[in-house]
Amino acid sequence: MRGRYAWIGTVASLVLIVASLGVLWKLSEEISWAELQKAFTAVAAAQLGEAFLFVAVSYLFLTCYDALALRQLRLKMPYRITALASFTSYAVSFTLGFPLITAATIRYWIYSKRGLSAAKIAALTVIAGFTFWLGMGVVLGFSLIIEAGQLASLTFQSIGVNTTARLNQILGFGTLGLVLGYLAWVSVKRRYIKVRHWQLELPGATVSFSQMIVGIGDVCAAAAVLYMLMPEGMNLAFTTFLAIYVLAAMLGIASNAPGGIGVFEATILLALSYLPRESVLGSLLLFRVCYYLVPFIVALLMLGIYEGAQRLRRHRAANDP
């Protein structure tokens, strides 16, 4: 039965990827390379500067994911090590995908040298994941409630499906209800998740609330990166755009594609179908460069410098009389 359920999840991810790539191809087949290049280079220097500022803010919040997880596990670690492990693991996993493997591997490489066991590092990775989903849930819930009417109009324009503002508000309140229900659940007593012989204590109300705040900050900053790169004429409030971004990100995560590539772009293009496709696609490509490619390169350089410094330190220690 477990194997059967695992296959269902895999098949669902593949179907989502194939369908999204088909939609992306359909939406972009009429765009010429010249149009795309023009849209890609039309972004002003001020827009790029603001985008990179929000990239830095988002990754700064990401370092708090590990800091909160270490607090929950009652482990002490210098912030510089926490920041290095968190930034590099997310920057690499966002680009390569399969975060449970890529992010956990980098965390193990760094944290194991500081005395953390594989079990503790696995627990840290799981707790950090809770931070992300709590933030996503709150942001999506509030966006659906605040911008219910605008989102209903966008849904009809993009895919021709009528959704009412009331339905969006119900979904928003339902999402917030799930988050609040989880907070109440972990507040009553200590809660654990068990996988075979492995047991993990879930964060209590105080840490969970802190996770929620950090997750909200990260999601909003990441969405702001793309928002700053969008072409003129979008005329969407940030809260409306935030709901679109969160939905696209969640579908990208569900697909298990590296960085949600294809799925994320198709969702944004559908939601913003009233804008010129080449301009939106150019903004999305630039977002990939700013939020994924540049941090990925920086992370590789930091890991190389860190490993070089560690080897140099060991060499000096071995040669000291």
Side-chain angles (χ1 to χ4, degrees):
M1 289 297 293
R2 288 178 181 173
R4 194 174 301 170
Y5 285 128
W7 274 108
I8 290 172
T10 302
V11 170
S13 297
L14 290 174
V15 169
L16 185 58
I17 292 173
V18 172
S20 299
L21 289 176
V23 171
L24 183 61
W25 176 262
K26 184 67 177 178
L27 292 173
S28 60
E29 63 180 351
E30 298 177 0
I31 301 174
S32 67
W33 282 107
E35 290 174 325
L36 185 59
Q37 183 179 10
K38 182 180 178 181
F40 189 80
T41 56
V43 178
Q47 284 179 275
L48 272 178
E50 291 171 340
F52 274 114
L53 175 63
F54 281 111
V55 170
V57 172
S58 177
Y59 277 91
L60 181 62
F61 274 112
L62 284 172
T63 64
C64 297
Y65 283 29
D66 280 31
L68 286 172
L70 288 166
R71 177 183 171 185
Q72 168 62 21
L73 296 170
R74 301 172 186 85
L75 297 170
K76 292 185 178 181
M77 188 70 59
Y79 177 73
R80 67 181 187 278
I81 301 299
T82 303
L84 174 68
S86 184
F87 170 75
T88 54
S89 62
Y90 282 114
V92 171
S93 65
F94 284 169
T95 302
L96 300 183
F98 307 104
L100 289 178
I101 298 174
T102 52
T105 300
I106 291 176
R107 283 191 175 105
Y108 182 78
W109 182 18
I110 295 173
Y111 285 134
S112 63
K113 296 176 181 178
R114 295 281 170 164
L116 268 65
S117 65
K120 291 290 186 182
I121 296 168
L124 185 152
T125 303
V126 172
I127 294 171
F130 275 90
T131 305
F132 174 79
W133 285 108
L134 283 171
M136 290 280 271
V138 173
V139 169
L140 180 61
F142 274 115
S143 298
L144 285 170
I145 294 168
I146 295 170
E147 300 293 344
Q150 181 70 31
L151 289 169
S153 175
L154 280 174
T155 304
F156 180 75
Q157 291 178 28
S158 59
I159 58 177
V161 175
N162 283 309
T163 61
T164 64
R166 181 63 60 85
L167 176 60
N168 287 336
Q169 288 178 334
I170 291 172
L171 292 173
F173 280 115
T175 304
L176 289 179
L178 289 174
V179 174
L180 292 175
Y182 172 80
L183 291 176
W185 184 63
V186 297
S187 300
V188 176
K189 64 177 183 178
R190 292 183 177 181
R191 302 290 183 176
Y192 300 86
I193 55 174
K194 296 180 181 179
V195 180
R196 295 185 179 180
H197 302 295
W198 185 65
Q199 179 175 280
L200 171 65
E201 181 185 348
L202 294 175
T206 303
V207 176
S208 294
F209 185 77
S210 300
Q211 287 179 302
M212 186 178 71
I213 298 301
V214 168
I216 291 171
D218 166 42
V219 173
C220 289
V225 177
L226 182 55
Y227 189 75
M228 291 297 155
L229 297 173
M230 278 292 155
E232 294 181 2
M234 184 171 67
N235 297 325
L236 278 184
F238 179 67
T239 48
T240 306
F241 182 81
L242 198 54
I244 296 170
Y245 176 89
V246 170
L247 178 60
M250 291 174 75
L251 289 174
I253 294 167
S255 71
N256 286 316
I261 192 165
V263 181
F264 179 83
E265 283 79 3
T267 306
I268 298 292
L269 282 168
L270 278 174
L272 303 179
S273 57
Y274 66 93
L275 291 173
R277 292 174 185 171
E278 65 276 7
S279 298
V280 177
L281 190 56
S283 298
L284 286 166
L285 290 175
L286 195 53
F287 171 75
R288 288 278 175 190
V289 172
C290 294
Y291 196 79
Y292 291 92
L293 183 59
V294 171
F296 176 66
I297 294 172
V298 172
L300 293 182
L301 289 173
M302 290 177 69
L303 288 171
I305 293 170
Y306 175 75
E307 181 62 21
Q310 289 289 105
R311 292 190 177 188
L312 181 61
R313 192 176 293 111
R314 288 195 297 267
H315 179 73
R316 287 177 176 175
N319 291 331
D320 282 345

Coordinates of all heavy atoms in Angstrom, one line a residue, residues 37-124:
Q37 N 14.2 38.8 -26.0 CA 15.5 39.5 -25.7 C 15.2 41.0 -25.3 O 15.7 41.6 -24.4 CB 16.5 39.5 -26.8 CG 17.8 40.1 -26.5 CD 18.8 40.0 -27.7 OE1 18.4 39.6 -28.8 NE2 20.0 40.3 -27.4
K38 N 14.3 41.6 -26.1 CA 13.9 43.0 -25.8 C 13.2 43.1 -24.5 O 13.5 44.0 -23.7 CB 13.0 43.5 -26.9 CG 12.5 44.9 -26.8 CD 11.6 45.3 -27.9 CE 11.1 46.8 -27.7 NZ 10.2 47.2 -28.8
A39 N 12.3 42.2 -24.2 CA 11.7 42.2 -22.9 C 12.6 42.0 -21.7 O 12.5 42.5 -20.6 CB 10.6 41.2 -22.8
F40 N 13.6 41.1 -22.0 CA 14.6 40.7 -20.9 C 15.5 41.9 -20.6 O 15.9 42.0 -19.5 CB 15.4 39.5 -21.5 CG 16.3 38.9 -20.4 CD1 15.8 38.0 -19.5 CD2 17.7 39.2 -20.4 CE1 16.6 37.4 -18.5 CE2 18.5 38.6 -19.4 CZ 18.0 37.7 -18.5
T41 N 15.8 42.7 -21.6 CA 16.8 43.8 -21.4 C 16.0 45.1 -21.1 O 16.7 46.1 -20.9 CB 17.7 44.0 -22.6 OG1 16.8 44.1 -23.8 CG2 18.5 42.7 -22.8
A42 N 14.7 45.1 -21.1 CA 14.0 46.3 -20.9 C 13.9 46.7 -19.4 O 13.5 47.9 -19.1 CB 12.5 46.2 -21.4
V43 N 14.4 45.9 -18.5 CA 14.3 46.2 -17.1 C 15.3 47.3 -16.7 O 16.5 47.2 -17.1 CB 14.6 44.9 -16.3 CG1 14.6 45.2 -14.8 CG2 13.5 43.9 -16.6
A44 N 14.9 48.3 -16.0 CA 15.8 49.4 -15.6 C 16.7 48.9 -14.5 O 16.5 48.0 -13.8 CB 14.9 50.6 -15.2
A45 N 17.8 49.7 -14.5 CA 18.9 49.4 -13.4 C 18.3 49.5 -12.0 O 18.6 48.7 -11.1 CB 20.1 50.3 -13.6
A46 N 17.4 50.5 -11.8 CA 16.8 50.7 -10.5 C 15.9 49.5 -10.1 O 15.9 49.1 -9.0 CB 15.9 52.0 -10.5
Q47 N 15.2 48.9 -11.1 CA 14.4 47.7 -10.9 C 15.3 46.5 -10.4 O 15.0 45.8 -9.5 CB 13.6 47.3 -12.1 CG 12.4 48.1 -12.4 CD 11.7 47.7 -13.7 OE1 12.1 48.1 -14.8 NE2 10.7 46.8 -13.5
L48 N 16.4 46.4 -11.1 CA 17.4 45.3 -10.8 C 17.9 45.5 -9.4 O 18.0 44.5 -8.6 CB 18.5 45.3 -11.8 CG 18.3 44.4 -13.0 CD1 19.5 44.6 -14.0 CD2 18.1 43.0 -12.7
G49 N 18.3 46.7 -9.0 CA 18.8 47.0 -7.7 C 17.8 46.7 -6.6 O 18.1 46.0 -5.6
E50 N 16.5 47.1 -6.8 CA 15.5 46.8 -5.9 C 15.2 45.2 -5.8 O 15.0 44.7 -4.7 CB 14.2 47.5 -6.2 CG 14.3 49.0 -6.1 CD 13.0 49.7 -6.7 OE1 12.4 49.1 -7.5 OE2 12.8 50.8 -6.3
A51 N 15.3 44.6 -6.9 CA 15.1 43.1 -6.9 C 16.2 42.4 -6.1 O 15.9 41.5 -5.3 CB 15.1 42.6 -8.4
F52 N 17.4 42.8 -6.3 CA 18.5 42.2 -5.6 C 18.5 42.5 -4.1 O 18.9 41.7 -3.3 CB 19.9 42.6 -6.2 CG 20.3 41.7 -7.4 CD1 20.4 42.3 -8.6 CD2 20.6 40.4 -7.2 CE1 20.8 41.5 -9.7 CE2 21.0 39.6 -8.3 CZ 21.1 40.1 -9.5
L53 N 17.9 43.7 -3.8 CA 17.8 44.0 -2.4 C 16.8 43.0 -1.7 O 17.1 42.5 -0.6 CB 17.2 45.4 -2.2 CG 16.9 45.9 -0.8 CD1 18.1 45.9 0.1 CD2 16.3 47.3 -0.8
F54 N 15.7 42.7 -2.4 CA 14.7 41.8 -1.8 C 15.3 40.3 -1.9 O 14.9 39.5 -1.1 CB 13.4 41.9 -2.6 CG 12.6 43.1 -2.2 CD1 12.4 44.1 -3.0 CD2 12.0 43.1 -0.9 CE1 11.6 45.2 -2.6 CE2 11.3 44.2 -0.5 CZ 11.1 45.3 -1.3
V55 N 16.1 40.0 -2.8 CA 16.8 38.7 -2.8 C 17.6 38.5 -1.5 O 17.5 37.5 -0.9 CB 17.7 38.5 -4.1 CG1 18.6 37.3 -3.9 CG2 16.9 38.4 -5.3
A56 N 18.3 39.6 -1.2 CA 19.1 39.5 0.0 C 18.2 39.4 1.3 O 18.5 38.6 2.2 CB 20.0 40.8 0.2
V57 N 17.1 40.1 1.3 CA 16.2 40.1 2.4 C 15.6 38.6 2.6 O 15.5 38.1 3.7 CB 15.1 41.1 2.3 CG1 14.0 40.9 3.4 CG2 15.6 42.5 2.4
S58 N 15.2 38.1 1.4 CA 14.6 36.7 1.4 C 15.6 35.7 2.0 O 15.3 34.9 2.8 CB 14.2 36.3 0.0 OG 13.7 35.0 0.0
Y59 N 16.8 35.7 1.5 CA 17.8 34.7 1.9 C 18.3 35.0 3.4 O 18.6 34.1 4.1 CB 19.0 34.7 1.0 CG 18.8 33.9 -0.2 CD1 18.3 34.4 -1.4 CD2 19.1 32.5 -0.2 CE1 18.1 33.6 -2.5 CE2 18.9 31.7 -1.3 CZ 18.4 32.3 -2.5 OH 18.2 31.5 -3.6
L60 N 18.1 36.3 3.8 CA 18.4 36.6 5.2 C 17.4 35.9 6.1 O 17.7 35.3 7.2 CB 18.4 38.1 5.5 CG 18.7 38.5 6.9 CD1 20.1 38.1 7.3 CD2 18.6 40.0 7.0
F61 N 16.1 36.0 5.7 CA 15.0 35.3 6.4 C 15.3 33.7 6.4 O 15.0 33.1 7.4 CB 13.7 35.6 5.8 CG 13.0 36.8 6.4 CD1 12.9 38.0 5.6 CD2 12.6 36.9 7.7 CE1 12.3 39.1 6.1 CE2 12.0 38.0 8.2 CZ 11.8 39.1 7.4
L62 N 15.8 33.2 5.3 CA 16.0 31.8 5.2 C 17.1 31.3 6.2 O 17.0 30.2 6.7 CB 16.5 31.4 3.8 CG 15.4 31.4 2.7 CD1 16.1 31.3 1.3 CD2 14.4 30.3 2.9
T63 N 18.0 32.2 6.6 CA 19.0 31.8 7.6 C 18.3 31.6 8.9 O 18.8 30.8 9.8 CB 20.1 32.8 7.7 OG1 19.6 34.0 8.2 CG2 20.8 33.0 6.4
C64 N 17.2 32.3 9.1 CA 16.4 32.1 10.4 C 15.7 30.8 10.5 O 15.4 30.4 11.6 CB 15.4 33.3 10.5 SG 16.2 34.9 10.6
Y65 N 15.5 30.1 9.3 CA 14.9 28.8 9.3 C 15.7 27.9 10.2 O 15.2 27.2 11.0 CB 14.7 28.3 7.9 CG 13.6 28.8 7.1 CD1 13.1 30.1 7.3 CD2 13.0 28.1 6.1 CE1 12.1 30.6 6.5 CE2 12.0 28.6 5.3 CZ 11.6 29.9 5.5 OH 10.5 30.4 4.7
D66 N 17.0 27.8 9.8 CA 17.9 27.0 10.6 C 18.1 27.4 12.0 O 18.2 26.5 12.9 CB 19.3 26.9 9.8 CG 19.3 26.0 8.6 OD1 18.2 25.9 8.0 OD2 20.3 25.4 8.3
A67 N 18.2 28.7 12.2 CA 18.3 29.2 13.6 C 17.2 28.8 14.5 O 17.4 28.3 15.6 CB 18.5 30.7 13.6
L68 N 16.0 28.8 14.0 CA 14.8 28.4 14.8 C 14.8 26.9 15.0 O 14.4 26.4 16.0 CB 13.5 28.8 14.1 CG 13.2 30.3 14.2 CD1 12.0 30.7 13.3 CD2 12.9 30.7 15.6
A69 N 15.2 26.2 13.9 CA 15.3 24.7 14.1 C 16.3 24.3 15.1 O 16.1 23.4 15.9 CB 15.6 24.1 12.7
L70 N 17.5 24.9 15.1 CA 18.5 24.6 16.1 C 18.0 25.0 17.5 O 18.3 24.2 18.5 CB 19.8 25.4 15.8 CG 20.6 24.9 14.6 CD1 21.6 26.0 14.2 CD2 21.2 23.6 14.9
R71 N 17.2 26.0 17.6 CA 16.6 26.4 18.9 C 15.7 25.3 19.4 O 15.7 24.9 20.6 CB 15.9 27.7 18.8 CG 15.2 28.2 20.1 CD 14.4 29.4 19.9 NE 13.6 29.8 21.0 CZ 12.8 30.8 21.0 NH1 12.7 31.6 20.0 NH2 12.0 31.0 22.1
Q72 N 14.9 24.8 18.5 CA 13.9 23.7 18.8 C 14.7 22.5 19.3 O 14.3 21.8 20.2 CB 13.0 23.4 17.7 CG 12.2 22.1 17.8 CD 11.2 22.2 18.9 OE1 10.9 23.2 19.4 NE2 10.8 21.0 19.4
L73 N 15.8 22.2 18.6 CA 16.6 21.0 18.9 C 17.5 21.2 20.1 O 18.3 20.3 20.5 CB 17.4 20.5 17.7 CG 16.6 20.1 16.5 CD1 17.4 19.9 15.3 CD2 15.8 18.8 16.8
R74 N 17.5 22.4 20.7 CA 18.3 22.8 21.8 C 19.8 22.6 21.5 O 20.6 22.0 22.3 CB 17.9 22.0 23.1 CG 16.4 22.1 23.5 CD 16.0 21.2 24.5 NE 14.6 21.3 24.8 CZ 13.6 20.6 24.1 NH1 14.0 19.8 23.1 NH2 12.4 20.8 24.4
L75 N 20.2 23.1 20.4 CA 21.6 23.0 19.9 C 22.1 24.4 19.8 O 21.4 25.3 19.3 CB 21.7 22.3 18.6 CG 21.2 20.8 18.6 CD1 21.2 20.2 17.2 CD2 22.2 20.0 19.5
K76 N 23.4 24.6 20.1 CA 24.0 25.9 20.0 C 25.0 25.9 18.8 O 25.7 24.9 18.7 CB 24.7 26.3 21.3 CG 23.8 26.6 22.4 CD 24.6 27.2 23.6 CE 23.6 27.5 24.8 NZ 24.4 28.0 26.0
M77 N 24.9 26.9 18.0 CA 25.8 27.0 16.8 C 26.0 28.5 16.5 O 25.1 29.3 16.6 CB 25.0 26.3 15.6 CG 25.9 26.2 14.4 SD 27.1 24.9 14.5 CE 26.1 23.4 14.9
P78 N 27.3 28.8 16.2 CA 27.6 30.2 15.8 C 26.7 30.6 14.6 O 26.5 29.8 13.7 CB 29.1 30.2 15.5 CG 29.6 29.0 16.2 CD 28.5 28.0 16.2
Y79 N 26.2 31.9 14.6 CA 25.3 32.3 13.5 C 26.0 32.2 12.2 O 25.4 31.9 11.2 CB 24.8 33.7 13.8 CG 24.0 34.2 12.7 CD1 22.7 33.7 12.5 CD2 24.4 35.2 11.8 CE1 21.9 34.2 11.4 CE2 23.7 35.7 10.7 CZ 22.4 35.1 10.6 OH 21.6 35.6 9.5
R80 N 27.3 32.5 12.1 CA 28.0 32.5 10.9 C 28.0 31.1 10.2 O 27.9 31.0 9.0 CB 29.5 32.9 11.0 CG 30.4 32.0 11.8 CD 31.8 32.5 12.0 NE 32.6 31.5 12.6 CZ 32.7 31.3 13.9 NH1 32.0 32.1 14.7 NH2 33.5 30.4 14.4
I81 N 28.0 30.0 11.0 CA 27.9 28.7 10.5 C 26.5 28.4 10.1 O 26.2 27.8 9.1 CB 28.4 27.7 11.6 CG1 29.8 27.9 12.0 CG2 28.2 26.2 11.0 CD1 30.8 27.8 10.8
T82 N 25.5 28.8 10.9 CA 24.1 28.7 10.6 C 23.8 29.3 9.3 O 23.1 28.8 8.4 CB 23.2 29.2 11.7 OG1 23.6 28.6 13.0 CG2 21.8 29.0 11.4
A83 N 24.2 30.6 9.2 CA 24.0 31.4 7.9 C 24.6 30.7 6.7 O 24.0 30.6 5.6 CB 24.5 32.8 8.1
L84 N 25.8 30.2 6.9 CA 26.5 29.5 5.7 C 25.7 28.3 5.3 O 25.4 28.1 4.1 CB 27.9 29.2 6.1 CG 28.7 28.3 5.1 CD1 29.0 29.2 3.9 CD2 30.0 27.8 5.7
A85 N 25.4 27.4 6.3 CA 24.7 26.2 6.0 C 23.3 26.4 5.4 O 22.9 25.8 4.4 CB 24.6 25.3 7.2
S86 N 22.6 27.4 5.9 CA 21.3 27.7 5.5 C 21.3 28.3 4.1 O 20.6 27.8 3.2 CB 20.6 28.6 6.4 OG 19.2 28.8 6.1
F87 N 22.1 29.3 3.9 CA 22.1 30.0 2.6 C 22.5 29.1 1.5 O 21.9 29.0 0.4 CB 23.1 31.2 2.6 CG 23.3 31.8 1.3 CD1 22.4 32.6 0.6 CD2 24.5 31.6 0.6 CE1 22.6 33.1 -0.6 CE2 24.8 32.1 -0.6 CZ 23.8 32.9 -1.3
T88 N 23.6 28.4 1.7 CA 24.2 27.5 0.6 C 23.2 26.3 0.3 O 23.0 25.9 -0.8 CB 25.6 27.0 1.0 OG1 25.5 26.3 2.3 CG2 26.6 28.1 1.0
S89 N 22.6 25.7 1.4 CA 21.7 24.6 1.2 C 20.5 25.0 0.4 O 20.1 24.3 -0.6 CB 21.3 24.0 2.5 OG 20.6 24.9 3.3
Y90 N 19.9 26.2 0.7 CA 18.7 26.6 0.0 C 19.1 27.1 -1.5 O 18.4 26.8 -2.4 CB 18.0 27.8 0.7 CG 17.2 27.3 1.9 CD1 17.5 27.6 3.2 CD2 16.1 26.5 1.6 CE1 16.8 27.1 4.2 CE2 15.3 26.0 2.7 CZ 15.7 26.3 4.0 OH 15.0 25.8 5.1
A91 N 20.2 27.8 -1.6 CA 20.6 28.3 -2.9 C 20.8 27.1 -3.9 O 20.5 27.2 -5.1 CB 21.8 29.2 -2.8
V92 N 21.4 26.1 -3.4 CA 21.7 24.9 -4.2 C 20.5 24.1 -4.5 O 20.2 23.7 -5.6 CB 22.8 24.0 -3.6 CG1 23.0 22.7 -4.4 CG2 24.1 24.8 -3.6
S93 N 19.7 23.9 -3.4 CA 18.5 23.0 -3.6 C 17.4 23.7 -4.5 O 16.7 23.1 -5.2 CB 17.9 22.7 -2.3 OG 17.4 23.8 -1.6
F94 N 17.3 25.1 -4.4 CA 16.4 25.8 -5.2 C 16.7 25.6 -6.7 O 15.8 25.5 -7.5 CB 16.4 27.3 -4.9 CG 15.7 27.7 -3.6 CD1 15.9 28.9 -3.1 CD2 14.9 26.8 -2.9 CE1 15.3 29.3 -1.9 CE2 14.3 27.1 -1.8 CZ 14.5 28.4 -1.2
T95 N 18.0 25.5 -7.0 CA 18.4 25.4 -8.4 C 18.4 23.9 -8.9 O 17.9 23.6 -10.0 CB 19.8 26.0 -8.6 OG1 19.8 27.3 -8.2 CG2 20.2 25.9 -10.1
L96 N 18.8 23.0 -8.1 CA 18.9 21.6 -8.5 C 17.7 20.8 -8.2 O 17.5 19.7 -8.7 CB 20.2 20.9 -7.8 CG 21.5 21.6 -8.1 CD1 22.6 20.8 -7.4 CD2 21.8 21.7 -9.6
G97 N 16.8 21.3 -7.2 CA 15.7 20.5 -6.9 C 16.0 19.4 -5.8 O 17.1 19.4 -5.3
F98 N 15.0 18.6 -5.6 CA 15.1 17.5 -4.6 C 15.7 18.0 -3.3 O 16.8 17.5 -2.9 CB 16.0 16.3 -5.2 CG 15.5 15.9 -6.5 CD1 16.2 16.2 -7.7 CD2 14.4 15.1 -6.6 CE1 15.8 15.8 -8.9 CE2 13.9 14.7 -7.9 CZ 14.6 15.0 -9.0
P99 N 15.1 18.9 -2.6 CA 15.7 19.6 -1.4 C 16.0 18.6 -0.3 O 16.9 18.9 0.5 CB 14.6 20.6 -1.0 CG 13.3 20.1 -1.6 CD 13.7 19.4 -2.9
L100 N 15.2 17.5 -0.1 CA 15.5 16.6 1.0 C 16.8 15.9 0.8 O 17.4 15.4 1.7 CB 14.4 15.6 1.1 CG 13.0 16.1 1.6 CD1 12.0 14.9 1.6 CD2 13.2 16.7 3.0
I101 N 17.3 15.9 -0.4 CA 18.6 15.3 -0.7 C 19.7 16.4 -0.8 O 20.7 16.3 -0.1 CB 18.6 14.5 -2.0 CG1 17.6 13.3 -1.9 CG2 20.0 13.9 -2.4 CD1 17.3 12.6 -3.2
T102 N 19.5 17.3 -1.7 CA 20.5 18.3 -1.9 C 20.8 19.2 -0.7 O 21.9 19.4 -0.2 CB 20.2 19.2 -3.1 OG1 18.8 19.7 -2.9 CG2 20.2 18.4 -4.4
A103 N 19.7 19.8 -0.1 CA 19.8 20.6 1.1 C 20.4 19.9 2.3 O 21.3 20.3 3.0 CB 18.5 21.3 1.4
A104 N 19.9 18.6 2.5 CA 20.3 17.8 3.6 C 21.8 17.5 3.5 O 22.5 17.4 4.5 CB 19.5 16.6 3.8
T105 N 22.2 17.2 2.2 CA 23.6 16.8 2.0 C 24.6 18.0 2.4 O 25.6 17.8 3.0 CB 23.8 16.4 0.5 OG1 23.0 15.3 0.2 CG2 25.3 16.1 0.3
I106 N 24.2 19.2 1.9 CA 25.1 20.4 2.2 C 25.1 20.7 3.7 O 26.1 21.0 4.3 CB 24.6 21.6 1.4 CG1 24.9 21.3 -0.1 CG2 25.3 22.9 1.9 CD1 24.4 22.4 -1.0
R107 N 23.9 20.6 4.3 CA 23.8 20.8 5.8 C 24.7 19.8 6.5 O 25.4 20.1 7.5 CB 22.4 20.7 6.3 CG 21.5 21.9 6.0 CD 20.2 21.8 6.7 NE 19.4 23.0 6.6 CZ 18.4 23.1 5.8 NH1 18.0 22.1 5.1 NH2 17.7 24.3 5.7
Y108 N 24.7 18.5 6.1 CA 25.5 17.5 6.7 C 27.0 17.8 6.6 O 27.7 17.6 7.5 CB 25.2 16.1 6.1 CG 25.9 15.0 6.8 CD1 25.5 14.5 8.0 CD2 27.1 14.5 6.2 CE1 26.3 13.5 8.6 CE2 27.8 13.5 6.8 CZ 27.4 13.0 8.0 OH 28.1 12.0 8.6
W109 N 27.3 18.2 5.4 CA 28.7 18.6 5.1 C 29.2 19.6 6.1 O 30.4 19.6 6.6 CB 28.8 19.1 3.6 CG 30.2 19.4 3.2 CD1 31.4 19.0 3.8 CD2 30.6 20.2 2.1 NE1 32.5 19.6 3.1 CE2 32.0 20.3 2.0 CE3 29.8 20.9 1.1 CZ2 32.6 21.0 1.0 CZ3 30.5 21.6 0.1 CH2 31.9 21.6 0.1
I110 N 28.4 20.6 6.4 CA 28.8 21.7 7.2 C 28.6 21.4 8.7 O 29.5 21.6 9.6 CB 28.1 23.0 6.8 CG1 28.5 23.4 5.4 CG2 28.4 24.1 7.8 CD1 27.7 24.6 4.9
Y111 N 27.4 21.0 9.1 CA 27.1 20.8 10.5 C 27.8 19.6 11.1 O 28.0 19.6 12.3 CB 25.5 20.6 10.6 CG 24.8 21.9 10.5 CD1 23.6 21.9 9.7 CD2 25.1 23.1 11.1 CE1 22.9 23.1 9.6 CE2 24.4 24.2 11.0 CZ 23.3 24.3 10.3 OH 22.5 25.4 10.1
S112 N 28.0 18.5 10.3 CA 28.7 17.3 10.9 C 30.1 17.7 11.4 O 30.5 17.1 12.4 CB 28.7 16.2 9.8 OG 29.5 16.6 8.7
K113 N 30.7 18.7 10.8 CA 32.0 19.1 11.3 C 31.9 19.8 12.6 O 32.9 20.1 13.2 CB 32.7 19.9 10.2 CG 33.0 19.2 8.9 CD 33.6 20.1 7.8 CE 33.8 19.3 6.5 NZ 34.3 20.2 5.5
R114 N 30.7 20.2 12.9 CA 30.5 20.9 14.2 C 29.9 20.0 15.3 O 29.3 20.4 16.3 CB 29.6 22.1 14.0 CG 30.2 23.2 13.1 CD 31.2 24.0 13.9 NE 31.9 24.9 13.1 CZ 32.6 25.9 13.5 NH1 32.6 26.2 14.8 NH2 33.4 26.7 12.7
G115 N 29.9 18.7 15.0 CA 29.4 17.7 15.9 C 28.0 17.2 15.9 O 27.5 16.5 16.7
L116 N 27.2 17.7 14.9 CA 25.8 17.3 14.8 C 25.7 16.0 14.1 O 26.4 15.7 13.1 CB 25.0 18.3 14.0 CG 24.3 19.4 14.8 CD1 25.4 20.3 15.5 CD2 23.4 20.3 13.9
S117 N 24.9 15.1 14.6 CA 24.7 13.8 14.0 C 23.8 13.9 12.8 O 23.1 14.9 12.6 CB 24.0 12.8 15.0 OG 22.7 13.3 15.4
A118 N 23.8 12.8 12.0 CA 22.9 12.8 10.8 C 21.4 12.9 11.2 O 20.6 13.5 10.5 CB 23.1 11.5 10.0
A119 N 21.0 12.3 12.3 CA 19.6 12.3 12.8 C 19.2 13.8 13.2 O 18.1 14.2 12.8 CB 19.4 11.4 14.0
K120 N 20.1 14.5 13.8 CA 19.9 15.9 14.2 C 19.7 16.8 13.0 O 18.9 17.7 12.9 CB 21.0 16.4 15.1 CG 21.0 15.8 16.5 CD 19.8 16.2 17.3 CE 19.9 15.8 18.8 NZ 18.7 16.1 19.6
I121 N 20.6 16.5 12.0 CA 20.6 17.3 10.8 C 19.3 17.0 10.0 O 18.7 18.0 9.4 CB 21.8 17.0 9.9 CG1 23.1 17.5 10.7 CG2 21.7 17.7 8.5 CD1 24.4 17.0 10.1
A122 N 18.8 15.8 10.0 CA 17.6 15.4 9.3 C 16.4 16.1 10.0 O 15.5 16.7 9.4 CB 17.4 13.9 9.3
A123 N 16.4 16.1 11.3 CA 15.4 16.8 12.1 C 15.4 18.3 11.8 O 14.3 18.9 11.7 CB 15.6 16.5 13.6
L124 N 16.6 18.9 11.7 CA 16.7 20.3 11.4 C 16.0 20.6 10.1 O 15.3 21.6 9.9 CB 18.1 20.7 11.4 CG 18.5 22.2 11.3 CD1 19.8 22.5 12.0 CD2 18.7 22.6 9.8

